[in-house]
Amino acid sequence: MAYGDNVDPKNRVVAIVLVGLFTALLGYGLVNGLNISIVKKLAEKLDVVDVEEPPPPEEPPPPPPPDNKLPPPPPVVTPPSPIPPPNTSNQVSSVPEAPPRPPLPIPPIAAPPAPPPTPDMSAPGKPRGNPGNWASPDDYPARALREERQGTTGFRVSYDASGKPTGCDVTSSSGHADLDDLTCKLMMRRARFTPAKDRAGNPTASSYSSRVKWQIPK
């Protein structure tokens, strides 16, 4: 590095002027035959200005060697932003959803064919033979004949699926207990029935109601 670049321009001009004068005088003396001593005296009187060069700038000190014991730099603290961050917890994804597939048509299930209507084979029960023969004047109680007691007894006979009586009830009294009792006894002994039938034609239990008129024969 050249340090002359920092010399004051004024001092440089003065030095150039003095050198020029010294050269002119020296030439003039040589031309006119002047004594060399005069030239020396003039040269001694000419004092060339010494340009003081400024001292070289001090070099910056070398950086200190790295030391692992140096404390770490303080963490950079970012001031909180006054604007709160957007809440993304409830944000919906922008990915478009595929449209739902239309439901497949379900063919209607054919209803099973209705069963053919069952013919109604029901029928009421009926007595076998003539019910008037189940009680006759020959069955009249002797005591009732002597006392000339008579009347009409209403009854109801229950029977099973075979047509045989299973019970007898007096529905209306003749006014005489012996005549009423005799009526049910005769029905249980002599009454027979063709049983009733249900819709399928099967025999079923039923009942039969009628009356017996007790009248003294003439």
Side-chain angles (χ1 to χ4, degrees), residues 106-185:
I106 301 175
I109 300 175
T118 303
D120 187 1
M121 302 178 64
S122 61
K126 59 183 179 179
R128 290 179 186 174
N130 186 4
N133 296 328
W134 295 346
S136 66
D138 296 337
D139 299 320
Y140 215 106
R143 185 176 178 179
L145 286 174
R146 290 192 304 265
E147 296 177 356
E148 297 181 353
R149 291 184 287 106
Q150 56 186 2
T152 302
T153 302
F155 66 91
R156 181 178 63 247
V157 179
S158 301
Y159 58 90
D160 56 18
S162 64
K164 184 177 180 181
T166 57
C168 179
D169 297 322
V170 175
T171 57
S172 61
S173 176
S174 63
H176 307 284
D178 53 351
L179 296 178
D180 295 340
D181 293 341
L182 180 60
T183 299
C184 277
K185 288 178 182 179

Side-chain angles (χ1 to χ4, degrees), residues 62-133:
D67 190 358
N68 296 332
K69 296 182 180 180
L70 293 177
V76 178
V77 178
T78 304
S81 176
I83 302 176
N87 186 7
T88 60
S89 60
N90 296 328
Q91 291 183 356
V92 181
S93 176
S94 60
V95 178
E97 296 182 357
R101 293 185 177 179
L104 297 177
I106 301 175
I109 300 175
T118 303
D120 187 1
M121 302 178 64
S122 61
K126 59 183 179 179
R128 290 179 186 174
N130 186 4
N133 296 328

Side-chain angles (χ1 to χ4, degrees), residues 3-14:
Y3 295 100
D5 294 341
N6 296 328
V7 177
D8 191 356
K10 294 181 179 181
N11 296 332
R12 181 178 297 179
V13 172
V14 172

